[in-house]
Amino acid sequence: MPLGCLDTETEQLAFMHDNASWECLRLRNKAKGNLRLPCCGSKVILKTLKLGTRFFAHKHRGVC
Ligand SMILES: [Zn+2]
């Protein structure tokens, strides 16, 4: 459950976001696909658990 990922030039941390900025990040990533996971460079999807925990996930299941 990665809590951080790479934006074009910055690092995004899931726990630094609130609902509004998380949703904004999700829409931007959906439009541009600009987020990458640091482990393998995979594209990212933003997930929110029922309890409100925010985290990043691999868009496609890969080697890790
Ligand atoms: Zn990975």
Side-chain angles (χ1 to χ4, degrees), residues 5 15 25 27 32 42 49 56 60 64:
C5 73
F15 50 84
L25 187 64
L27 290 174
K32 293 186 179 176
S42 166
L49 299 179
F56 301 103
H60 301 291
C64 62

Side-chain angles (χ1 to χ4, degrees), residues 1-5 12 14 22 25 35 37 44-46 55-57:
M1 192 190 288
L3 296 177
C5 73
Q12 294 286 347
W22 188 242
L25 187 64
L35 300 179
L37 286 171
V44 171
I45 52 173
L46 283 66
F55 65 99
F56 301 103

Side-chain angles (χ1 to χ4, degrees), residues 11-47:
E11 187 178 21
Q12 294 286 347
L13 297 170
F15 50 84
M16 296 294 285
H17 285 274
D18 60 19
N19 273 336
S21 68
W22 188 242
E23 207 46 46
C24 182
L25 187 64
R26 184 206 304 279
L27 290 174
R28 189 155 53 93
N29 183 49
K30 205 173 177 182
K32 293 186 179 176
N34 55 315
L35 300 179
R36 295 285 188 280
L37 286 171
C39 52
C40 62
S42 166
K43 286 194 173 186
V44 171
I45 52 173
L46 283 66
K47 292 196 166 183

